[in-house]
Amino acid sequence: MHSRRGTTSSRRSLRALALLSAALFPLMAWATPAAAHGSIIDPASRNYGCWERWGSDHLNPDMAQEDPMCWQAWQDNPNAMWNWNGLYRDNVGGDHQAAVPDGQLCSGGRTEGGRYDSLDAVGPWTTTDVDAGAFSVHLYDQASHGADYFRVYVTEQGFDPETQALGWNDLELIRQTGSYAPSQNITVTGLSAPGRSGHHVVYTIWQASHMDQAYYLCSDVNFV
């Protein structure tokens, strides 16, 4: 016959294991894709920034007032943040404008079954202060895919990310690079956006080298 004490102890152990598993789930959900892909982390892409600021506190209701665009993104699909490094499309063949319609640039054309749709939302996304005269974009590429090229665009002066959906005609291509050897950290330097001030979007296309895989990354900046 089993003792009551032994049964209670077993239940407590199972409950503790369940609580531990629940606590670790977000970390596991993040860790799995992190071994495979990457994103622009400076100036932070929209979903990377939301993960960086709120990943350890993503249920905090204060986010709704302090960081409303991240709040709506977490409410829409938390996996957009846990998988901050998976915003890509395969087999685009370089025809990015055909693959990614106007109004869907920040979600990569609603890629991954719509996981990243919240990133297209119009509103006051948190910005990173950037010198319009000289800035860089820093890619974290944990799997060291390398790059066939980067295309870096900046929104035109007069475009308002807080009231307007982003389209291709709102962007100016300021740099297309050559290839980069595989590395976990790649920085595209020597960028400038003359005549810009205030809230803009830096839009980066990273064409990875390991296969035909293109990443579409919106970073909100405050040009100073």
Side-chain angles (χ1 to χ4, degrees):
M1 183 174 67
H2 295 294
S3 71
R4 182 181 179 87
R5 181 178 178 182
T7 301
T8 301
S9 177
S10 297
R11 286 175 178 169
R12 285 176 178 169
S13 297
L14 288 171
R15 183 173 182 272
L17 181 60
L19 291 171
L20 179 62
S21 297
L24 289 177
F25 175 76
L27 297 178
M28 292 188 292
W30 167 77
T32 300
H37 306 298
S39 188
I40 299 298
I41 63 169
D42 187 24
S45 63
R46 286 181 173 178
N47 56 335
Y48 178 81
C50 290
W51 173 81
E52 184 180 40
R53 291 190 298 276
W54 296 100
S56 62
D57 196 23
H58 64 283
L59 299 179
N60 188 338
D62 291 343
M63 191 195 324
Q65 297 299 319
E66 296 176 12
D67 203 346
M69 301 313 293
C70 283
W71 174 256
Q72 64 84 29
W74 282 102
Q75 300 309 299
D76 180 66
N77 192 335
N79 283 323
M81 275 60 69
W82 299 130
N83 294 274
W84 54 263
N85 44 21
L87 206 169
Y88 63 86
R89 298 186 73 90
D90 290 330
N91 305 314
V92 170
D95 196 355
H96 303 293
Q97 293 193 34
V100 181
D102 287 344
Q104 300 178 19
L105 274 66
C106 296
S107 67
R110 299 179 180 171
T111 192
E112 295 297 305
R115 175 189 295 163
Y116 301 100
D117 287 4
S118 62
L119 305 184
D120 290 320
V122 174
W125 289 92
T126 297
T127 62
T128 301
D129 286 346
V130 169
D131 182 353
F135 68 97
S136 305
V137 295
H138 178 200
L139 172 76
Y140 180 59
D141 173 13
Q142 188 166 353
S144 298
H145 290 323
D148 287 344
Y149 60 81
F150 291 89
R151 291 182 186 171
V152 183
Y153 300 79
V154 174
T155 48
E156 299 279 5
Q157 187 65 20
F159 176 79
D160 183 1
E162 300 193 13
T163 62
Q164 296 173 263
L166 183 63
W168 290 101
N169 288 339
D170 301 311
L171 297 170
E172 178 188 358
L173 178 64
I174 62 169
R175 177 92 185 273
Q176 173 156 336
T177 74
S179 62
Y180 288 77
S183 173
Q184 288 193 336
N185 292 281
I186 297 174
T187 303
V188 180
T189 60
L191 303 173
S192 66
R196 267 74 163 191
S197 62
H199 186 175
H200 281 267
V201 176
V202 175
Y203 189 63
T204 305
I205 298 176
W206 163 35
Q207 182 68 48
S209 294
H210 70 300
M211 61 180 292
D212 184 0
Q213 189 171 84
Y215 293 72
Y216 302 97
L217 307 165
C218 283
S219 301
D220 290 272
V221 302
N222 177 45
F223 279 130
V224 296

